Amino acid sequence: MEKITPKIVFIDTSIFMDCALEEAEDANIKVLEEFEDKISKGKMILLIPEVVEKETLRELKKKFFNLESSILKLFKVSKEQKISHKISKIEEKIKDQCKKEINNEIETKHQDTEKLINKIFKNKNTKIIPLSDKIMTSGFMRALLLRAPHNNNQDKPAHDRDRDCVCFESILDYLENNKEYKKLEFIICVDDIDYFDNAEKEKINKELSKDLSSKCKSISIYSNPLKMLNKEFNKKYSKSELKKFEDVKQVFMTSDDMAFTPHDSMQLASAFDPYQMTSI
């Protein structure tokens, strides 16, 4: 049997969210299942700072709740409009049933996704990196010195701007204490511009590359997990699937309040509606 040489991978919270909500919209892509498969087969060693673990499970619950709330709001507006137009009670009853089915489907998808992410986190080849006093101190010092991946957006709370530095210092600390990874390729999958050297998100920030260079064989970075799986793990996602992932991702690139427009909510609702709504 051919010996498998694993690759070390760091996947950030935003990527897990993109994958989870993408699969809620299109069940055929299944990126999370691909992660789980590669980890279980020993092809991927997943490094997850404790910050990312806690944040992912928290944000997953919040995003699905906001998704459900957005669709409910759309139905509420629709109901008020129908009353003004004297829409029949039969049609209203049908829409109420659709709303119920959509909400049940969203909750089912949330539970299934949470179960899968927990399965990924609990895999023997996933290394959860616990927070320590040393990591916290190194992370905040990195942020104070404005070193990448520090986010200098003053509109964000300090803990949000510093968490990337804490995550990165978690990775450095783990690699420093596990010298056997020095011979392995290291892959970063993030969407945060502060990890990159250009706006196109094609090259890793030079400062981060320098800090990692002595701790692994090589460094690659991706903002799209499908591209990462294609390039690094011989997956065959098509160009149309890559584009679809980016298109759906744009719908979710909103604030924490997930303030979807009526058009966005319509798109999302149609993904859950067995009758594929085209109008409300």
Side-chain angles (χ1 to χ4, degrees), residues 17-126:
M17 291 302 97
D18 290 342
C19 294
L21 295 171
E22 169 71 21
E23 291 181 30
E25 200 278 340
D26 183 351
N28 294 320
I29 294 184
K30 299 185 182 302
V31 186
L32 293 175
E33 288 189 12
E34 284 296 326
F35 288 161
E36 198 275 329
D37 176 71
K38 299 300 180 289
I39 295 166
S40 294
K41 290 179 178 176
K43 296 180 179 180
M44 180 190 295
I45 296 175
L46 185 63
L47 299 189
I48 297 292
E50 186 179 357
V51 172
V52 172
E53 178 198 27
K54 298 291 191 293
E55 189 178 54
T56 296
L57 295 173
R58 182 196 71 202
E59 288 300 303
L60 184 69
K61 184 176 183 179
K62 183 193 295 186
K63 299 300 185 187
F64 272 93
F65 174 80
N66 289 336
L67 171 56
E68 183 175 349
S69 297
S70 295
I71 294 175
L72 281 172
K73 185 176 180 180
L74 181 63
F75 273 103
K76 184 178 180 181
V77 171
S78 172
K79 188 173 182 179
E80 291 170 355
Q81 291 173 340
K82 286 173 182 175
I83 291 172
S84 65
H85 289 87
K86 298 180 181 180
I87 301 298
S88 71
K89 290 183 178 180
I90 294 176
E91 184 175 357
E92 193 63 51
K93 189 173 182 179
I94 292 172
K95 288 299 180 183
D96 285 343
Q97 181 61 32
C98 287
K99 180 178 69 173
K100 183 178 179 180
E101 290 183 18
I102 290 171
N103 289 341
N104 289 340
E105 184 69 12
I106 290 173
E107 181 57 30
T108 298
K109 287 180 181 291
H110 173 212
Q111 291 175 0
D112 290 346
T113 304
E114 186 175 59
K115 183 177 179 181
L116 181 54
I117 289 177
N118 271 312
K119 188 177 180 181
I120 289 171
F121 286 168
K122 292 176 181 178
N123 192 287
K124 67 178 182 179
N125 290 322
T126 295

Side-chain angles (χ1 to χ4, degrees), residues 1-241:
M1 181 180 292
E2 184 179 355
K3 184 179 179 181
I4 297 174
T5 301
K7 296 182 180 182
I8 320 165
V9 181
F10 163 55
I11 300 173
D12 200 14
T13 303
S14 61
I15 299 297
F16 280 114
M17 291 302 97
D18 290 342
C19 294
L21 295 171
E22 169 71 21
E23 291 181 30
E25 200 278 340
D26 183 351
N28 294 320
I29 294 184
K30 299 185 182 302
V31 186
L32 293 175
E33 288 189 12
E34 284 296 326
F35 288 161
E36 198 275 329
D37 176 71
K38 299 300 180 289
I39 295 166
S40 294
K41 290 179 178 176
K43 296 180 179 180
M44 180 190 295
I45 296 175
L46 185 63
L47 299 189
I48 297 292
E50 186 179 357
V51 172
V52 172
E53 178 198 27
K54 298 291 191 293
E55 189 178 54
T56 296
L57 295 173
R58 182 196 71 202
E59 288 300 303
L60 184 69
K61 184 176 183 179
K62 183 193 295 186
K63 299 300 185 187
F64 272 93
F65 174 80
N66 289 336
L67 171 56
E68 183 175 349
S69 297
S70 295
I71 294 175
L72 281 172
K73 185 176 180 180
L74 181 63
F75 273 103
K76 184 178 180 181
V77 171
S78 172
K79 188 173 182 179
E80 291 170 355
Q81 291 173 340
K82 286 173 182 175
I83 291 172
S84 65
H85 289 87
K86 298 180 181 180
I87 301 298
S88 71
K89 290 183 178 180
I90 294 176
E91 184 175 357
E92 193 63 51
K93 189 173 182 179
I94 292 172
K95 288 299 180 183
D96 285 343
Q97 181 61 32
C98 287
K99 180 178 69 173
K100 183 178 179 180
E101 290 183 18
I102 290 171
N103 289 341
N104 289 340
E105 184 69 12
I106 290 173
E107 181 57 30
T108 298
K109 287 180 181 291
H110 173 212
Q111 291 175 0
D112 290 346
T113 304
E114 186 175 59
K115 183 177 179 181
L116 181 54
I117 289 177
N118 271 312
K119 188 177 180 181
I120 289 171
F121 286 168
K122 292 176 181 178
N123 192 287
K124 67 178 182 179
N125 290 322
T126 295
K127 312 302 179 183
I128 304 294
I129 308 170
L131 277 174
S132 66
D133 291 343
K134 178 185 175 184
I135 288 172
M136 289 293 289
T137 302
S138 298
F140 282 108
M141 182 60 70
R142 190 179 192 94
L144 285 171
L145 295 173
L146 302 182
R147 298 187 64 207
H150 174 69
N151 186 323
N152 202 31
N153 183 350
Q154 297 299 321
D155 293 332
K156 289 188 175 184
H159 66 271
D160 284 346
R161 288 184 273 124
D162 299 340
R163 56 84 66 190
D164 287 329
C165 290
V166 173
C167 284
F168 189 71
E169 286 295 331
S170 296
I171 297 294
L172 291 179
D173 185 76
Y174 187 86
L175 293 176
E176 180 65 31
N177 290 303
N178 291 272
K179 305 290 188 182
E180 66 272 22
Y181 291 168
K182 192 172 182 178
K183 297 180 180 179
L184 301 179
E185 298 174 44
F186 183 53
I187 302 163
I188 300 174
C189 192
V190 297
D191 193 42
D192 189 339
I193 189 63
D194 300 302
Y195 279 84
F196 294 87
D197 201 38
N198 53 27
E200 290 73 30
K201 297 182 178 180
E202 295 173 346
K203 296 180 180 180
I204 187 171
N205 177 283
K206 290 184 176 65
E207 189 172 25
L208 302 183
S209 178
K210 182 178 178 181
D211 288 348
L212 286 166
S213 61
S214 64
K215 295 175 172 57
C216 53
K217 180 180 178 181
S218 63
I219 310 159
S220 302
I221 191 166
Y222 299 87
S223 61
N224 185 315
L226 279 70
K227 288 183 178 179
M228 179 195 76
L229 288 166
N230 277 0
K231 179 77 172 179
E232 304 291 344
F233 297 97
N234 298 315
K235 183 64 181 172
K236 303 295 181 184
Y237 288 112
S238 65
K239 288 184 179 180
S240 62
E241 287 175 318

